[in-house]
Amino acid sequence: MSEKLYEVIKIDNLKDMLNKTKEIYSNKIAYQIKIDNGKYKTFTHKQVRNMVDNLGTALIDMGLKNKRIAIIGENRYEWEVAYLSVVCGTGLVVPLDKSLPENELESLIERSEVEAIFYSKKYEDTLTKIKYNQNNKLKHLISFDNLENTDGIYSLNELIKTGEKLIKNGNKEFIEAKIDNEKMSIMLFTSGTTSSSKVVALSHKNICSNLMDIASVVDVNENDTLLSILPIHHVFECTVGFLFSLYKGAKTVFSDGLRHVVDNLKEYQVTVMACVPVIYERIFGMIRKQLEKQGKLDNILKKEEELRNSSMEERKENFKQIALDTIRSEGYSYDVNINIGNFEFPTKDYGDISLPAGYYDALRVEIGEAKGHNWWCVMFPPLCFVDISSGVVPDESKELLENNLSEEEFALISGNDNNTEIQFKFKLLEFFNQNGMITAKK
């Protein structure tokens, strides 16, 4: 693992994470939810943790201790509260893809053997029909949207109230539940694009080790606002866009959709967003379109062409000004030095690509006292987009590397050189602690 840059709160499991951070972030805002007409409602970190305890207590009272419970729906705070109420003392959670067609949803409910499911309103008719299929174990439907229990359907809102009463009357079964850190607690299904979906089993230890690794290299705290935009059932968004935010005491807001992402960034003053390259490309396209409308695009493209044809020495001042402007916009006053030379880089593994340590020609941005380290993502940004689901560098990034290296050099880093003594390791989610967020020395 790369060198730790920040101190972390050691956590053994997600329940431990909630308990250790409850008082630290107590009155900080955990969720800001848009209602309508520019109005919002908020929940503090303490309120969220109380909701988890209440809901988990109610689930156990329903007879769901050690049972499998699914969740399906769009990104919303209720999804996250439901997830934690299951995994932190009730049973095993099964996050499901909200875009599943009815036949596949029914198949996964049957295969996973879930006995309850949390859901958004649009799935009510489908799930009601599936519930009465003799081939599955589904007994309980729990609605995110219904404010009260109805015939055969529970309300998440009502269950939280029920759990609160149970706790006041001395029920501590959920609160005092013991967690097996290495036992399968999360059951995921792959997308099944080439065959039927496969099960991926994760434990508290898997998730918490990633949370601590991310926290050790990414500076996020209770003053940050995180925009949740990627599908929350995916482990990337679930870990970074959901659990990491609660772990670090940040505020989470939810995107209104890809078309509105730029507006949401402004609306909520977002400081952190977990994304994939295609979304950044879309944001870039929106910005470009807006510049074109404002009549500024031609001038920017002209300057870009001038810079493209200039030497690296001539570009140094431009790079320095960009760095200074960025630092000032974040409220800091660090000075910046730009140097072009031959610098030392450590060995780095990016999925199935391993880059050896050594001295390389590079442009180095030194910020403040420059006590950090050089990172390969700075040398070659496409390496920041390692496929976290399979631990490999995308083909397009490999092609760029192959086009810029000799045949011998590419064979060395890609493991195709039979004479090399480099050992390769597969590291799940290495992206989290070897990502492009660390882009300079500080």
Side-chain angles (χ1 to χ4, degrees), residues 196-214:
S196 61
S197 299
K198 304 294 191 301
V199 171
V200 177
L202 293 177
S203 67
H204 281 262
K205 184 177 180 179
N206 296 145
I207 299 297
C208 289
S209 64
N210 280 310
L211 291 176
M212 289 187 286
D213 283 350
I214 302 166

Side-chain angles (χ1 to χ4, degrees), residues 236-426:
F236 181 30
E237 176 67 18
C238 190
T239 304
V240 183
F242 158 28
L243 297 171
F244 184 60
S245 182
L246 288 173
Y247 175 45
K248 296 298 292 181
K251 176 171 68 179
T252 297
V253 296
F254 297 96
S255 172
D256 296 322
L258 281 179
R259 290 183 301 165
H260 306 285
V261 63
V262 174
D263 291 332
N264 291 152
L265 292 173
K266 295 178 183 177
E267 176 184 6
Y268 295 110
Q269 295 296 293
V270 172
T271 58
V272 182
M273 180 172 67
C275 269
V276 291
V278 67
I279 293 181
Y280 291 122
E281 289 169 6
R282 180 147 190 177
I283 294 172
F284 174 76
M286 292 176 180
I287 294 172
R288 185 185 176 101
K289 197 171 184 179
Q290 190 63 32
L291 289 171
E292 190 173 12
K293 284 182 180 179
Q294 296 172 359
K296 299 178 180 179
L297 184 60
D298 288 341
N299 188 42
I300 290 174
L301 292 176
K302 183 179 177 181
K303 289 182 178 179
E304 181 183 17
E305 189 63 28
E306 291 173 356
L307 284 173
R308 183 181 290 117
N309 296 326
S310 63
S311 68
M312 188 62 75
E313 284 291 343
E314 291 172 323
R315 298 184 200 181
K316 282 173 58 175
E317 284 306 311
N318 288 293
F319 287 139
K320 181 173 182 176
Q321 192 57 52
I322 291 170
L324 286 171
D325 290 344
T326 303
I327 290 166
R328 300 295 181 267
S329 70
E330 294 294 326
Y332 297 100
S333 58
Y334 300 119
D335 195 12
V336 173
N337 288 311
I338 305 287
N339 295 297
I340 299 171
N342 193 257
F343 304 111
E344 183 181 9
F345 282 78
T347 298
K348 285 291 174 183
D349 293 334
Y350 291 88
D352 53 350
I353 293 289
S354 183
L355 301 172
Y359 285 82
Y360 297 87
D361 291 334
L363 180 143
R364 181 164 69 177
V365 181
E366 297 179 332
I367 302 175
E369 297 180 2
K371 290 184 176 179
H373 294 274
N374 296 320
W375 294 87
W376 278 102
C377 273
V378 182
M379 286 278 285
F380 192 70
L383 288 174
C384 300
F385 304 123
V386 174
D387 183 343
I388 63 164
S389 64
S390 58
V392 298
V393 176
D395 289 340
E396 56 269 27
S397 296
K398 287 183 181 176
E399 288 177 13
L400 284 171
L401 274 172
E402 192 169 9
N403 292 335
N404 286 278
L405 297 175
S406 69
E407 189 174 321
E408 181 182 356
E409 288 170 335
F410 184 74
L412 178 67
I413 68 167
S414 61
N416 295 323
D417 184 350
N418 295 327
N419 296 319
T420 182
E421 295 182 358
I422 294 176
Q423 294 182 351
F424 296 93
K425 298 178 182 179
F426 177 84

